[in-house]
Amino acid sequence: MPRVGGAAGWCVFSVLPPPHSVQEGEDEWGRAMGSEPASGVGTRRRRERSPEEGLPAVHSRQWAMARRALMTVLLFSLILGGSLLLWGYVFKGCGPAHCEMPVCRDLLSLYLASGNTSVAPCTDFFSFACGNTNRTTSSFQALAKENKRRLQRILEAPGSWRLDSGEEKAFQFYSSCMDTGAIEGAGAGPLRQVIEELGGWPVSGDWTPLDFNRTLSLLMSQYGHFPFFRAYLRPLPTPPYTPVIQIDQPEFDVPLKQKQEMNYAQILREYLTYLNRLGTLLGGDPNKVGEHASFSISINSQLYQFLRPPEQQAQGKLFQMVTIDQLQEMAPAIDWLSCLQATFAPMSLSPSHPVAVHDLEYLKNMSQLVEKQLSKHRDFLQSHMILGLVGTLSPALDSKFQEARRLLSQKLGELTGRPPTVLHEELISDIPRVLSAAPWASWCRSQHIRGGSCTKRALLTKPAHPRWMTCVEKTAAFFKPTLAALFVREAFGPSTRSAAMELFTAIKDALIARFQMLPWMDEETRAKVQDKVTQLQVKMGAPEWALKPDPARQEYNDIQLGPSFLQSFLSCVRSRRARVIRSFLQPFPNHRWQVLPWGVNAYYSIPDHVVVFPAGLLQPPFFHPGYPRAVNFGAAGSVMAHELLHIFYQLLFPGGCPACDTHALQGALVCLERHYAAFPLPNGTFFNGSRTFLEDAADTGGLAIALQAYSKRLLWYRGETTLPSLNLSPWQLFFRSYAQVMCRDPSTQDPQDTHSPPTLRIHGPLSNSPAFARHFHCPHGTLMNPSSRCQLW
């Protein structure tokens, strides 16, 4: 009996005619084929003589033939009628069931809130899906915030977990961070204690000068502050990617190069105001504070002048390998061995130990400046280091220091036209500390990280945080193993991971199948592409250390909490640095994750041939095992396909596929460029097709591959569901879910973003899909049903 998906998974019914008619039809069919019923009712009924039984034989034969013909017509009519009833019952009666799970109701609320159904989907699908909400953040940013909310709920409910001693410290740290009353009550006292340990501050009049290099060593190793240069341990961005100490320029609070800023004088005034505020908060005499603050600005300005211009950074070497002994000769003001040994203990360093230097000329000039100031203004140099330390520690201080920092950031944003930034953001610890354009861009290219802009500015640009989010981020930075394990346990259990892997497998299979249909790809390239997909590693959800946490790694025996939050903060800074160093001293894994488990950025790493989808990305509203398949394939599935296509981006470059049909490939490339260029853009929206082309190709191909995978899934599995009250078929829901991922206010587009504006990320791929126009019944020639389409992927 035919079956279709229904509310309970299956609808079972019968369209057979009544038993009497069936048996008569079977008897007549049997006699026509020269056979007789074996026994039973049919045999007995044939022996009962009818009124027509006494007619001549010829009439009996004629009657039998007429009867057979009549029965054939009746049977055909019954089958046709039953088929019509079947069609109506399946597609009108059963149809897709409504998903009534709480996660589906939440998703429905999101779709109803963000969409604008008064707009015709065939003329403006972006407004149809995203036009009812002022989206100052993207869907990815909204998901990232929700993941932090989940971490907040975990940290604020310690009674819901069985905690060991290490996990308990994480909860205690978060609680102390949220205890703003205690932090405000302590005021600047804990910070003054730190300054005394460094020899005091000349402005306060209580100063016991320490050896300059001893002070510098303490600042670097105990407080994470690098006033003249930055040193960090990271893998080299080129093969063999071995960990090495890298030395680079310091982070500057403000740009202090006059030629680059129109409001240079005003920037200096705002920075001077900020430094004066810090000095007075520490109890310094205003006149003395102003003098020392001006000197600090002068030092920073001179250091800034030593930096290579960006164009020279791009043309120069990524780094230069030298030994510590050689570096000591070229920049003698710094006791390099002593400072680096203290910072990177328990590493064992010697004068012959190699280090990677990103700007040797800067270090030479910096050394000369330090030697000059040590001979003339040693007290001012101490003040410069102390003022910088206060800025570094401001996230752990009371609200007066944090407010001073926030005001500076706001003023600089207004004067430079850039968004406010978190200055000296010490909590971003799992990314390379490479500030110059060339090294940072090269590292991004080497890792080929996708799913977000791989730029220093993007990582440090943040709006003002509520207190809970600040404390979640600090706790996550210091107790990453603990929070990773708790987040995975809460948000990415075995069933969710299994469903995500099943989705990825369907997407990967569809990718391979789609490559078989590309008209521009030759058979040899197809075979190579298939081999590359087969050899690809996928990391889903979280690293192994989060999926199977080792309790020994979460003891945090070196962390001492209290008596003040600042002291707890500093203890955590030192503990984290030691853990990072120890991890680099261990055998280097095949792939070191570049995102946290609660992160939302998927990426593909070229060196490791690994694609990574963190657990934070595979969450509502992008993915849930209880969602309709249309949602999972349209949202998370299209993201997966997008990332997989980046593996083959080189095929699209000139000469990248020498055996392919270059004429057909070039035609497809030009077609896609023209397709995107034809769309109107909202006012204030930037679009540069040459810069966004790779992402545009991945968006368009990703949608097509996800759609192909979803179509195959519907053939093999029944029981599809949809969202109630949305009036969308499963196919329409697939496209709606794809668009939801791209929802964002177009006016927030960064001109340097490698992705197209959100309107194009929706209209470009969807209008290139004939299935979209068919399922939304778009008239030919409308925006979403153009006269021609492109097939690149």
Side-chain angles (χ1 to χ4, degrees), residues 295-313:
F295 179 86
S296 181
I297 290 178
S298 174
I299 289 288
N300 273 337
S301 180
Q302 293 180 71
L303 292 175
Y304 202 89
Q305 307 298 322
F306 297 153
L307 301 181
R308 287 181 298 171
E311 58 273 13
Q312 291 184 16
Q313 295 177 16

Side-chain angles (χ1 to χ4, degrees), residues 613-625:
F613 300 100
L617 175 68
L618 300 169
Q619 300 295 318
F622 292 178
F623 178 82
H624 191 278

Side-chain angles (χ1 to χ4, degrees), residues 375-549:
S375 63
K376 295 182 179 180
H377 306 291
R378 190 177 179 187
D379 55 341
F380 284 96
L381 204 59
Q382 175 82 356
S383 291
H384 170 72
M385 293 190 289
I386 294 298
L387 288 171
L389 173 65
V390 176
T392 298
L393 298 183
S394 60
L397 303 177
D398 67 67
S399 59
K400 300 182 186 67
F401 289 94
Q402 295 183 41
E403 179 65 12
R405 199 71 173 171
R406 188 194 65 79
L407 287 175
L408 173 63
S409 178
Q410 178 182 331
K411 292 292 185 180
L412 292 180
E414 294 171 358
L415 292 171
T416 61
R418 306 187 188 104
T421 58
V422 175
L423 305 168
H424 281 309
E425 179 53 83
E426 182 62 24
L427 299 183
I428 302 177
S429 62
D430 296 305
I431 57 173
R433 289 289 189 166
V434 185
L435 307 186
S436 56
W440 186 269
S442 298
W443 185 87
C444 293
R445 285 194 300 270
S446 72
Q447 296 297 319
H448 196 55
I449 291 183
R450 299 289 175 179
S453 299
C454 185
T455 62
K456 167 81 175 152
R457 177 180 170 189
L459 287 165
L460 294 187
T461 299
K462 293 184 180 181
H465 281 350
R467 183 66 185 179
W468 70 264
M469 188 177 293
T470 299
C471 292
V472 163
E473 290 178 350
K474 290 176 181 177
T475 309
F478 297 139
F479 298 90
K480 180 173 66 173
T482 292
L483 261 66
L486 293 175
F487 182 85
V488 170
R489 200 185 316 170
E490 170 81 9
F492 204 70
S495 61
T496 303
R497 189 176 190 278
S498 176
M501 285 299 299
E502 181 181 347
L503 174 62
F504 175 77
T505 300
I507 296 296
K508 185 176 70 170
D509 292 345
L511 172 74
I512 295 174
R514 192 158 190 88
F515 281 160
Q516 303 304 317
M517 303 185 300
L518 295 181
W520 53 267
M521 188 175 288
D522 64 291
E523 293 302 322
E524 181 182 355
T525 303
R526 283 193 180 96
K528 291 180 180 178
V529 163
Q530 183 165 342
D531 287 344
K532 197 163 188 177
V533 174
T534 303
Q535 296 166 9
L536 176 71
Q537 298 181 64
V538 58
K539 304 292 184 180
M540 191 73 67
E544 285 297 318
W545 54 260
L547 296 173
K548 298 178 181 178

Side-chain angles (χ1 to χ4, degrees), residues 103 106-107 110-111 135 139 142-143 146 617-624 627 631-632 635-636 737 740-741:
V103 290
D106 293 342
L107 184 67
L110 172 66
Y111 282 12
R135 287 187 166 271
S139 294
L143 177 55
E146 179 54 35
L617 175 68
L618 300 169
Q619 300 295 318
F622 292 178
F623 178 82
H624 191 278
Y627 276 170
V631 174
N632 287 335
S737 299
Q740 191 69 36
V741 173

Side-chain angles (χ1 to χ4, degrees), residues 589-653:
N590 293 332
H591 176 74
R592 192 182 295 271
W593 278 58
Q594 304 298 335
V595 291
L596 295 167
W598 51 85
V600 298
N601 284 352
Y603 67 91
Y604 168 66
S605 173
I606 291 178
D608 305 315
H609 192 41
V610 170
V611 63
V612 175
F613 300 100
L617 175 68
L618 300 169
Q619 300 295 318
F622 292 178
F623 178 82
H624 191 278
Y627 276 170
R629 293 191 190 98
V631 174
N632 287 335
F633 276 87
S638 62
V639 173
M640 289 178 175
H642 178 111
E643 297 305 320
L644 288 178
L645 285 176
H646 279 307
I647 301 173
F648 308 103
Y649 77 102
Q650 289 182 332
L651 294 176
L652 307 182
F653 290 155

